[in-house]
Amino acid sequence: MLAIKNLSRLSAAIVLATSVCGFTAQASTENLSLKPEFKDRLDIYQEVELNTDLSHLNDNQRTMLSLLIDASKIMDELFWLQAYGEGKAELLKQIDDPAVKRFVEINYGPWDRLDGDKPFLTSVDEKPAGAQFYPPSMSKEEFEKAEFEGKTSLYTLVRQDKEGNLFSIPYSEAYSDRINRAAAILEKAATYAEDKEFNNYLKMRADALRNDDYQASDMAWMDMKNNPIDVVIGPIETYEDMLFGYRSAFESYVLVKDMSWSEKLAKYAEYLPKLQKDLPVKKAYKKEVPGSDADLNAYDVIYYAGHSNAGGKTIAINLPNDEQVQLEKGTRRLQLKNAMQAKFDAILVPIAEQLIAKDDRKHVTFNAFFANTMFHEVAHGLGIKNTINDKGTVRQALKEHASALEEGKADILGLYMVRQLLAEKVISEGELKDYYTTFMAGIFRSVRFGASSAHGKANMVRFNYFAENGAFSRDENGLYSVDMEKMTAAIDSLSELILTLQGDGDYDGVGKLMEESGMIKEQLAADLAKLEKAKIPVDIVFKQGKMVLGL
């Protein structure tokens, strides 16, 4: 256990036994029903079967996939505790309507993740900004004043003793039973791994779960190049902590590599240093050199769990988040091709038919959608990870604003990269208007994720910035067209703004930007209402698991 201020080990153990896994968010015993204003929200997700061809895998690999799914299910249990607290089973028992119950499961609690985390059930309070990572009665000011070990750790819960003193408890201790079960499953999976680097990673990740030190396993994950199966598992992203953005949430993806698509992507990583050097910002904000060991690969994802499965679904991954690993080795960018194709077909194409000018709809293409998504992930590796004025890392300096601004950076620098690589003929598919127009349609898709999503908030800021700078026009029928010249200028100026805010660690400046531009204004709200009227899904949800895969 980490050092605990003003608390004996005995009393800490009592608190640990009663409260570490979370606070029951809904203790009422009455039946819960859907609030009337949410009756049209139950069908905003389109179910997609999550499957891929496994015929090329041998028996050991198929057994390994089965075990990785088992470990992922434990990540799901852990995320429920972090997002909602104890009492998931009791919550579901209080709901009679199967459709409402399913909506709770999709959202990992009674708050609508794609509508600002509003409570959609009767007798349910607002969702705590800090989820279950912090005591419900704790204020931000109280936390800022307190001094205790593990205060800003990614891998601890914050709790309060009877005297009101704050202390931290490592995840490995707070969730010890589930952690140990998941670690044992990973170690068993490693015995079936024929790839030496993957075998090593699984064992190191199991150790990391038990000791809350993930850096070594992140380094090992970066060293894997040839494994046809992959798993991203553990406490990773900090989006669920909307109070400070310090605490990481449990999640998992089980992946099968698409070798042919991955070969096509391999050439792009080598251009990162030059792209960093040419960023449209002062030298001080691009002095860091991205790791040259980064790689790009395409996968079919066969299982989502925990944070990755909550609300809006991720279709590309850029990891690790550890700044030291990024500077030493870069990152790996994983494009989740089957999930990406499902979103393009079910959501992006119908959106374009409703909101993009008729003559421009041909410029909304899957190749452009794939590339924009891919270069979004690549762009996380560009820019700056540490402030230029000794405020620590960008993530520490910007606190709860860090995630939304980082997503905005990745989107806008992704477009910058596409433009540069098209000009140098490194990208040969399509024309720049394909990428800009597809990106425009993508804003309408992502902005529907709402203000509680870092991606949704980033898209609101960008849409409003583009509107102010004339990057697109809207005709009398409510259909949008991109102004190529003004879009290019807006991309460069917004890139400079975001990179400067990050490098300066300007917490107040980012807060002002989010407050003034991170909302849906009247005209956009009316346009999004057209999508609701047309019954276009906001996102997808999966029918997944061993039965779907035939495992």
Side-chain angles (χ1 to χ4, degrees), residues 222 268-279 285-294 318 323-331 333 378-385 409 417:
M222 285 299 300
Y268 296 124
E270 64 187 85
Y271 291 92
L272 280 178
K274 183 179 187 305
L275 289 164
Q276 172 85 347
K277 184 180 176 182
D278 293 341
L279 286 172
Y285 299 92
K286 54 183 178 181
K287 61 184 178 181
E288 296 173 358
V289 179
S292 59
D293 198 28
N318 175 61
E323 291 88 354
Q324 184 177 338
V325 179
Q326 289 186 8
L327 291 173
E328 287 186 24
K329 297 209 171 199
T331 60
R333 287 88 176 193
V378 175
H380 278 300
L382 296 181
I384 196 161
K385 305 299 177 188
K409 180 205 83 173
M417 293 177 73

Side-chain angles (χ1 to χ4, degrees), residues 441-474:
I443 292 180
F444 295 120
R445 181 184 71 85
S446 296
V447 80
R448 299 171 83 201
F449 293 163
S452 63
S453 156
H455 294 79
K457 189 174 290 187
N459 274 277
M460 293 176 201
V461 170
R462 186 167 47 261
F463 180 90
N464 291 322
Y465 188 92
F466 283 170
E468 291 164 8
N469 287 272
F472 56 77
S473 61
R474 181 181 181 277

Side-chain angles (χ1 to χ4, degrees), residues 99-378:
V100 176
K101 190 174 293 190
R102 178 63 175 143
F103 200 59
V104 170
E105 291 172 338
I106 291 169
N107 285 280
Y108 287 73
W111 305 285
D112 189 342
R113 289 177 176 270
L114 301 190
D115 191 14
D117 277 330
K118 294 176 184 173
F120 56 82
L121 296 181
T122 55
S123 304
V124 170
D125 295 331
E126 296 291 323
K127 183 178 180 180
Q132 304 299 307
F133 299 113
Y134 306 91
S137 60
M138 185 197 79
S139 67
K140 290 187 75 169
E141 294 72 22
E142 187 178 2
F143 180 86
E144 294 281 19
K145 290 178 182 177
E147 292 297 332
F148 56 96
E149 192 172 345
K151 178 178 176 178
T152 61
S153 170
L154 290 163
Y155 312 117
T156 66
L157 299 175
V158 176
R159 293 296 180 254
Q160 206 162 24
D161 68 18
K162 291 180 180 178
E163 286 74 44
N165 299 303
L166 298 177
F167 64 97
S168 65
I169 302 170
Y171 286 175
S172 60
E173 195 162 337
Y175 307 119
S176 58
D177 178 61
R178 290 178 174 88
I179 289 288
N180 286 323
R181 284 195 286 121
I185 293 171
L186 291 184
E187 287 171 337
K188 186 176 180 180
T191 66
Y192 293 93
E194 296 158 9
D195 181 84
K196 184 174 71 173
E197 283 78 16
F198 191 43
N199 172 288
N200 182 52
Y201 164 69
L202 290 174
K203 291 188 289 189
M204 293 185 74
R205 203 64 173 175
D207 288 342
L209 286 168
R210 293 190 181 106
N211 63 28
D212 304 292
D213 185 355
Y214 288 85
Q215 190 174 85
S217 63
D218 282 346
M219 292 284 193
W221 190 70
M222 285 299 300
D223 291 336
M224 300 190 310
K225 302 295 180 186
N226 304 310
N227 47 304
I229 291 170
D230 208 337
V231 63
V232 175
I233 190 166
I236 299 170
E237 302 291 1
T238 60
Y239 304 136
E240 192 70 11
D241 177 5
M242 298 189 73
L243 193 63
F244 291 106
Y246 291 150
R247 266 68 203 177
S248 57
F250 285 95
E251 63 184 317
S252 183
Y253 307 81
V254 181
L255 306 155
V256 177
K257 193 170 186 178
D258 187 317
M259 297 297 189
S260 60
W261 272 72
S262 295
E263 286 175 16
K264 291 197 295 184
L265 306 182
K267 62 184 178 182
Y268 296 124
E270 64 187 85
Y271 291 92
L272 280 178
K274 183 179 187 305
L275 289 164
Q276 172 85 347
K277 184 180 176 182
D278 293 341
L279 286 172
V281 69
K282 293 177 182 176
K283 285 184 179 180
Y285 299 92
K286 54 183 178 181
K287 61 184 178 181
E288 296 173 358
V289 179
S292 59
D293 198 28
D295 63 340
L296 297 170
N297 288 287
Y299 295 81
D300 280 343
V301 56
I302 60 169
Y303 201 82
Y304 283 74
H307 179 265
S308 67
N309 196 42
K313 306 302 184 294
T314 299
I315 52 177
I317 305 168
N318 175 61
L319 291 172
N321 287 329
D322 186 301
E323 291 88 354
Q324 184 177 338
V325 179
Q326 289 186 8
L327 291 173
E328 287 186 24
K329 297 209 171 199
T331 60
R332 288 179 59 201
R333 287 88 176 193
L334 291 71
Q335 313 308 305
L336 311 183
K337 189 166 63 68
N338 56 342
M340 206 180 294
Q341 185 74 59
K343 288 203 185 193
F344 181 80
D345 294 340
I347 302 171
L348 202 68
V349 171
I351 284 176
E353 290 171 354
Q354 293 290 325
L355 294 179
I356 300 298
K358 189 174 181 179
D359 290 346
D360 287 349
R361 289 173 198 164
K362 63 180 179 292
H363 292 290
V364 177
T365 69
F366 180 72
N367 272 342
F369 181 57
F370 184 93
N372 287 345
T373 306
M374 175 179 67
F375 284 111
H376 165 104
E377 299 306 330
V378 175

